[in-house]
Each structure stands twice: as C-alpha cells, then as structure tokens.
Amino acid sequence: MYDYLIVGAGLFGTVFAYEMNTKGRKCLVIDKRAHIGGNCYTERVEGINVHKYGAHIFHTSDREIWRYVNQFAEFNSYINSPVAVYKDELYNLPFNMNTFSKMWGIKTPEEAKRIIKKQIAELNISEPKNLEEQALSLVGTDVYEKLIKGYTEKQWGRKCSELPAFIINRLPLRFTFDNNYFNDKYQGVPNGGYTQIFEKLLNGIEIKLNTDYSDIRDEKIAKKTLYTGCIDEFFDYKFGALEYRSVRFENEILDEENYQGNAVINYTSADVPYTRIIEHKHFEFGVQPKTVISREYSAEWKLGSEPYYPINDEKNSMLFERYKALAQTRPDVIFGGRLGQYRYYDMDKVIRAALATVNSEG
C-alpha cells in the first residue's frame, strides 16, 4: 500500500512526490507517456536539448522558488527576447521602443505615445465588444494589424472579432529599448535541459511509465491519489468535455549551424500557417554544427489529442466549477496542475502550488 499514487510525472506531480518522499511517505508515480517531465521534457538531438513540447523558459520573481529549482540544475543567463516576422518586416517583442522605431521611424517615447494615442482616439471605441475592439483600444491600429491580429487568429482558430474581449485584459507597451520579454528578476534555462530536474526529483521513487490511470484506477493501491490529468476525464466527462487549444509540432534537423539567429521567432501574418519557429540550440547558446528547429501550429483540440491551453471562457469556466464541486466529494483525491485545475500555469507558479499542496497535506 502506497501513501500516494501520483498520476502524471510533470512538474506538479514530481515536486509533490519529491517532497513527500523526503517526509518518508511511500509514493508511486505513473505517467501515460514513455518519459518523465510532462510538457517540460527535453530530449537530446544532435547534441542539442530539444524542448519536445514547446519553448520553456523559467522565469520568476519568487526568490524562494528560484532557490528551490536551482537545487536540481544550474541555470544559464538566457533572456527571452523573441522576434516577430510580419510579411517582410522584422520587429522586436514585447512591444517596445525598438518595435515602434522600426514601425514608424521615430526615436523618442513621446513620439510613439502620440501616434498610439491618436490611433486609439480615431477608433472611438468606448466599450470593447470583442477581442479585436479590446486590442485596438489598447494599442491602436498598426500594432494590432501587424503583430496581434494574424497571430491571435491562428492561435485560437477563429477571428478576433469572434473572440471575447476578456482574453486580452492588457497589452503592455514599453517605452524603453528593452527586449526582455519578462519582467521577472530571475530568468534562465537549465544547462543540459529540463529532464535532469525531473530525474533528480524522482530519484529513489518508484515510477511506472506507459501506464494510464484508467488501467489501474480500480486497484486500491494507495491511501490517496494526486491526479494531474484532465479533471473532466477523471469523472468520465460526466458533464461534458472541457475545451482546450492544442499544438502540433513539425521538427527538422538542418545541416547548418544557425538557421534564424534567435530561439523564438513569431510569424504574425495570417498567410503563414505556423505561429512560430523555435531554434532550440539558442536556449543554451549552442555552437553545434547542426541545428534543430520546430514549427508550431495551433490546432483545434478534440478528445484524444494533447490538451495545451485551457479555454477559460464563460462556458468552460461554468463547466469547470461543476467538476470542481464534484471533486470536493472525493477527499481521497487531490486535483493539481494545469489540467487538474483547468488553468494556465507558469512553471514557478506550478512549483509554488505543489509546495502549498504538500503543506496542506501535513
């Protein structure tokens, strides 16, 4: 008899397992995939640590969590500074003075503010009714048309005018020449990839891969279960399926040292089918003779495909509340992580939530 059956070897599950193991609790970790690490998993290809499920850059302002994760890997000084391609134009992200200077040929913050303010005023949008109107009322026409519209429509699979306004609560405009995407104090990528972190977290803990929870759910093998899969799947979709956006990757090994000169380049025009290209070696300043790139395609989610981004609109939020209430009838099960709690989590917030769950268990 285990103290905890932990379903999912991603960040939430493995941090929980590690902490419980140090407390002397007997844990079994299972995962339906053939590897540990969840979506943070990295695999070595041509000497390059490839982010198998999309770019993962660790960033936090939480000093305690930064110290915690540094127990398991040495982090480099990588700063996330993505670039956007719109047709034959190249722009820095996030929207900053480098962006505005390239877009309008201006030099000062005052000039940029004046142009944006004028564009917003001309639109005369008092109460935004959809995402398009919300974005236009925040950044004006040029930034929206070139850097938001096409990318967002590819990401969500529908027109911006058909998306709810609350998806974009704010669009930060920086009037400095600073290309650092995140505002967090601590930032980096682990030298040697993320998988090593999970190997250390799970050291000495029993693991079963290629194991689906549904295959063992009727076996009474643990006093309590930590479930990090989809909460609606746990309850056999009793109220219907929660919705997600999925992502499809096309990976390519290229016989050249440097393909695009940056780890992340977004493609914001609607006529390019993918949303971005990741060149993995740049996360660790690699100098390998070859390179590996991944084209990302946003995809409509359906049962059986990989869920990535919860669609936290009103319909799905109400549906999740019903599952959340149902979960409270199962004191023997803890629902955690991105899928168990149906919310988007940055990595530092996942770790913080897992540690809080450990504390609540005593």
Side-chain angles (χ1 to χ4, degrees), residues 40-189:
C40 295
Y41 173 70
T42 49
E43 66 175 0
R44 207 154 175 82
V45 180
E46 297 290 340
I48 299 162
N49 294 304
V50 172
H51 295 218
K52 183 78 172 176
Y53 302 95
H56 283 77
I57 298 117
F58 199 93
H59 59 97
T60 186
S61 293
D62 190 328
R63 187 176 181 186
E64 184 183 342
I65 295 301
W66 181 243
R67 285 181 170 178
Y68 184 87
V69 76
N70 272 267
Q71 297 177 92
F72 309 106
E74 180 186 69
F75 281 72
N76 64 23
S77 57
Y78 177 83
I79 297 295
N80 189 30
S81 302
V83 172
V85 173
Y86 176 77
K87 299 189 183 298
D88 59 350
E89 301 167 16
L90 209 63
Y91 294 100
N92 290 105
L93 297 176
F95 313 136
N96 63 33
M97 283 303 298
N98 288 308
T99 318
F100 308 143
S101 178
K102 178 73 178 290
M103 192 170 286
W104 300 312
I106 52 97
K107 296 177 182 177
T108 68
E110 190 56 42
E111 289 175 292
K113 289 178 182 178
R114 193 159 53 240
I115 291 170
I116 292 168
K117 186 177 180 181
K118 182 174 182 289
Q119 290 186 2
I120 292 172
E122 288 172 349
L123 293 164
N124 196 28
I125 299 170
S126 54
E127 291 186 20
K129 299 180 181 63
N130 51 55
L131 185 148
E132 179 167 271
E133 292 185 357
Q134 174 79 336
L136 285 167
S137 68
L138 292 170
V139 299
T141 310
D142 290 345
V143 174
Y144 172 72
E145 290 290 340
K146 293 189 175 187
L147 300 177
I148 298 172
K149 180 178 169 65
Y151 188 89
T152 303
E153 291 183 346
K154 287 188 289 187
Q155 202 171 34
W156 290 94
R158 45 190 60 85
K159 292 180 179 179
C160 289
S161 58
E162 297 171 358
L163 291 165
F166 72 80
I167 290 177
I168 295 181
N169 290 322
R170 65 187 187 92
L171 284 168
L173 298 171
R174 292 186 190 168
F175 296 97
T176 61
F177 290 89
D178 179 9
N179 295 325
N180 186 349
Y181 193 82
F182 300 120
N183 289 314
D184 291 309
K185 183 176 181 180
Y186 308 107
Q187 185 176 163
V189 171

Side-chain angles (χ1 to χ4, degrees), residues 2 11 179 233 256 276-277 360:
Y2 298 95
L11 200 50
N179 295 325
E233 183 179 4
E256 57 184 290
R276 62 181 180 174
I277 295 179
S360 69

Side-chain angles (χ1 to χ4, degrees), residues 4 6 15-27 357-359 361-362:
Y4 291 96
I6 296 160
V15 168
F16 183 90
Y18 173 83
E19 293 296 323
M20 285 304 180
N21 187 52
T22 62
K23 292 174 182 286
R25 312 288 170 81
K26 189 178 181 184
C27 300
T357 304
V358 170
N359 291 335
E361 284 293 291

Side-chain angles (χ1 to χ4, degrees), residues 293-312:
I293 64 169
S294 298
R295 293 180 179 87
E296 288 190 18
Y297 297 80
S298 186
E300 201 71 40
W301 178 84
K302 57 182 183 295
L303 279 177
S305 59
E306 197 65 43
Y308 277 84
Y309 302 108
I311 300 178
N312 297 117

